[in-house]
């Protein structure tokens, strides 16, 4: 019996800011953002793209009419919830037209929650061979204008269809999670932006990775040579690289060292142009790896998921023969390449409009985005969504 990722897709808002220009506007040496943080462009959220519309947009092309009859659970992982009670999974379930006899709910643990969602889906499907689970990771990563975290923002969603006999990645039975109560990044209820202990958050991430990886290697008798590539949670591309470098010690053979290093570059290519998408970052990295790197069916990919607070998890999957035929590389390249660049001033307007929920459909909804779901208005605290004609 094999269960895993049968289909996966992502959606990012169609606006971005250039990190070198943002650095100049903030009187920062551009190479700090480009090399020190490792980000080239950053997605910017229009008010019309919240976690519901982005999540539905990420999922709409991978859910067939047949799937809509078989999906019995929709899980949304997010740390940008728009409601403390109603789950965004319910709205996404409705927008996609999934059959009504389904469980729909939201999961939270900072950037980690999509990983337990996938593991839950895997266990749930074990004795339900004909059902499928839709897992969506959707977030707007926001720290505030002029804040320390400003260069590590972004927005986007990843959708994954979990099923038996998956066509992309079989999930192995080998996960190790590591929990530690630490205040490295948190967002008390009512605050618009998170509180961050920047240096601590980097150290906590690396420590969590080392603990998870060492325990995983010991329990399952694995070494780095068993992996074709590793994917990390990518709040910014330098972060996962620091974690990877921390275990590429002198005793690691040069072939393994070079393989994992070049794999890391491929696995962070899309992230470098999107920025942080919190819960979806690890899975955007997986898509980036699969779509920009030369891999083969049967090879093992290691994945490290991290959510501040904190929970880390190392797990693995086996690539399925013919996986590349299921990917939608051209669509993803077009999605990233068709985005509109915003000046820093325009980005600041977008940012403030998003915080104040001030709609500007004329500026934000461009004709080349036809077919996407978007947030049309909010009336009596009820969010109404449309499809762009
Ligand atoms: N050229 C090249 N690199 C430069 C540079 C330059 N001109 N100027 C600075 N840098 C490097 C620094 O040496 C540092 O590299 P290092 O981490 O390898 O030492 C890097 O750029 C970042 O500099 P730093 O001083 O740490 O930046 P910062 O104090 O502005 O904070 C974050 C960076 C990531 C901590 C901050 O953006 C943040 O809090 N982000 C949100 C939290 C987060 O994402 N945490 C990650 C774990 S979840």
């Amino acid at each position: 019996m094999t269960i895993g990722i049968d289909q996966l897709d992502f959606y990012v808002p169609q606006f971005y800011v250039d990190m070198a220009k943002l650095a100049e506007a903030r009187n920062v040496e551009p190479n700090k953002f480009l090399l020190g943080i490792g980000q080239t462009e950053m997605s910017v959220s229009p008010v019309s793209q919240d976690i519901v519309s982005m999540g539905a947009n990420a999922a709409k092309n991978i859910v067939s009419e047949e799937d809509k009859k078989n999906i019995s659970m929709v899980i949304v992982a997010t740390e940008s919830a728009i409601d403390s009670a109603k789950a965004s999974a319910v709205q996404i379930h409705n927008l996609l037209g999934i059959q009504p006899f389904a469980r729909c709910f939201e999961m939270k643990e900072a950037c980690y929650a999509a990983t337990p969602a996938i593991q839950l889906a895997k266990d749930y499907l074990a004795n339900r061979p004909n059902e499928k689970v839709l897992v969506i990771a959707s977030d707007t990563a926001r720290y505030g204008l002029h804040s320390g975290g400003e260069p590590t923002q972004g927005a986007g969603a990843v959708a994954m269809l979990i099923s038996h006999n998956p066509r992309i990645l079989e999930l192995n039975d080998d996960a190790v999670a590591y929990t530690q109560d630490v205040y490295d990044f948190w967002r008390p209820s009512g605050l618009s932006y998170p509180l961050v202990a920047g240096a601590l958050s980097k150290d906590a991430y690396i420590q969590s990775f080392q603990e998870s990886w060492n325990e995983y290697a010991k329990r399952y008798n694995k070494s780095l040579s068993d992996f074709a590539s590793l994917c990390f949670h990518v709040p910014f591309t330098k972060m996962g690289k620091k974690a990877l470098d921390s275990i590429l010690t002198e005793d690691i053979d040069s072939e393994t060292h070079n393989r994992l290093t070049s794999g890391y570059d491929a696995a962070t290519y899309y992230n470098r142009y999107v920025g942080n998408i919190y819960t979806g970052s690890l899975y955007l990295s997986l898509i980036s790896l699969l779509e920009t790197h030369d891999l083969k069916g049967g090879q093992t990919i290691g994945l490290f998921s991290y959510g501040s607070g904190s929970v880390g998890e190392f797990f693995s999957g086996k690539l399925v023969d013919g996986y590349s035929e299921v990917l939608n590389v051209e669509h993803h390249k077009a999605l990233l390449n068709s985005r509109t660049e915003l000046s820093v001033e325009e980005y600041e307007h977008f940012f403030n409009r998003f915080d104040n929920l001030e709609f500007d459909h004329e500026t934000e909804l461009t004709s080349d985005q036809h077919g996407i779901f978007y947030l049309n208005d909010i009336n009596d605290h009820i969010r109404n969504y449309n499809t762009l004609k």
Side-chain angles (χ1 to χ4, degrees):
M1 179 179 69
T2 60
I3 300 175
I5 302 174
D6 183 57
Q7 294 252 46
L8 81 174
D9 202 351
F10 71 86
Y11 176 80
V12 292
Q14 288 298 285
F15 300 94
Y16 74 91
V17 67
D18 182 300
M19 294 300 283
K21 292 177 188 165
L22 182 62
E24 277 164 32
R26 300 292 181 254
N27 288 321
V28 169
E29 162 63 33
N31 277 341
K32 175 175 175 183
F33 289 180
L34 300 174
L35 304 176
I37 303 272
Q39 292 301 132
T40 305
E41 293 171 359
M42 184 168 85
S43 289
V44 178
S45 292
V47 187
S48 53
Q49 287 302 327
D50 63 5
I51 56 164
V52 170
S53 52
M54 288 195 299
N57 285 326
K60 73 187 178 68
N61 295 327
I62 59 166
V63 173
S64 68
E65 290 308 313
E66 195 57 27
D67 293 333
K68 289 176 192 174
K69 295 180 197 151
N70 299 328
I71 291 172
S72 58
M73 188 148 84
V74 179
I75 312 174
V76 173
T78 189
E79 53 180 306
S80 328
I82 49 172
D83 196 295
S84 297
K86 187 177 172 74
S88 53
V90 172
Q91 291 149 301
I92 292 176
H93 168 274
N94 175 43
L95 290 175
L96 296 175
I98 292 168
Q99 63 85 22
F101 301 101
R103 289 178 177 155
C104 293
F105 55 95
E106 223 165 82
M107 283 175 70
K108 174 182 75 179
E109 172 23 49
C111 302
Y112 166 68
T115 300
I118 288 171
Q119 300 291 4
L120 175 71
K122 176 170 171 277
D123 293 347
Y124 170 84
L125 291 173
N127 53 8
R128 293 175 171 89
N130 301 320
E131 298 181 23
K132 296 184 180 189
V133 177
L134 180 61
V135 173
I136 292 172
S138 187
D139 271 301
T140 45
R142 298 166 70 75
Y143 292 89
L145 300 174
H146 301 273
S147 67
E150 186 178 29
T152 61
Q153 302 178 123
V158 175
M160 291 170 275
L161 196 58
I162 312 295
S163 76
H164 282 257
N165 305 315
R167 286 172 288 173
I168 295 177
L169 191 75
E170 293 173 5
L171 291 167
N172 294 329
D173 292 319
D174 63 356
V176 171
Y178 173 79
T179 292
Q180 188 187 27
D181 188 4
V182 54
Y183 272 90
D184 56 336
F185 165 110
W186 68 110
R187 181 152 73 92
S189 300
L191 294 195
S192 301
Y193 307 132
L195 303 172
V196 196
L200 176 63
S201 75
K202 292 196 277 190
D203 292 346
Y205 176 116
I206 292 171
Q207 194 205 344
S208 181
F209 169 63
Q210 290 177 343
E211 295 284 353
S212 314
W213 161 250
N214 289 335
E215 182 63 20
Y216 173 93
K218 194 167 79 187
R219 272 193 211 177
Y220 298 105
N221 194 24
K222 298 280 185 198
S223 72
L224 290 177
S225 58
D226 292 309
F227 297 90
S229 219
L230 298 182
C231 288
F232 290 78
H233 166 51
V234 186
F236 48 96
T237 68
K238 192 74 177 291
M239 186 67 251
K241 183 70 168 57
K242 279 174 177 290
L244 174 62
D245 287 347
S246 80
I247 57 164
L248 289 178
T249 43
E250 280 173 5
D251 54 321
I252 305 296
D253 66 89
S254 61
E255 196 279 325
T256 300
H257 189 291
N258 294 342
R259 186 181 70 255
L260 296 180
T261 303
S262 72
Y264 185 81
D265 290 341
T268 49
Y269 180 73
Y270 288 170
N271 305 69
R272 183 177 286 279
Y273 292 90
V274 170
N276 194 359
I277 59 168
Y278 286 163
T279 50
S281 294
L282 168 62
Y283 300 97
L284 180 65
S285 171
L286 175 63
I287 299 174
S288 183
L289 175 73
L290 300 184
E291 296 190 353
T292 67
H293 205 50
D294 197 16
L295 294 163
K296 288 189 205 62
Q299 288 182 323
T300 301
I301 309 294
L303 298 105
F304 174 64
S305 180
Y306 178 75
S308 291
S310 69
V311 186
E313 181 163 333
F314 192 94
F315 62 108
S316 78
K318 191 169 94 174
L319 279 175
V320 179
D321 278 334
Y323 75 90
S324 57
E325 285 152 37
V326 190
L327 302 172
N328 206 342
V329 186
E330 292 315 312
H331 166 66
H332 293 152
K333 290 206 167 129
L335 186 68
L336 290 172
N337 294 337
S338 64
R339 296 180 302 165
T340 304
E341 183 182 347
L342 301 177
S343 66
V344 173
E345 201 185 11
E346 287 168 324
Y347 144 73
E348 290 175 350
H349 282 304
F350 269 62
F351 199 93
N352 290 328
R353 274 207 305 278
F354 193 94
D355 269 353
N356 300 325
L357 292 171
E358 284 166 10
F359 289 90
D360 182 356
H361 289 328
E362 210 170 300
T363 308
E364 297 184 350
L365 295 172
T366 56
S367 58
D368 55 350
Q369 301 177 67
H370 67 90
I372 61 158
F373 294 108
Y374 68 96
L375 173 63
N376 186 58
D377 61 89
I378 305 176
N379 248 320
D380 282 340
H381 298 285
I382 293 173
R383 290 184 178 232
N384 299 303
Y385 297 88
N386 269 347
T387 311
L388 192 63
K389 299 283 182 301

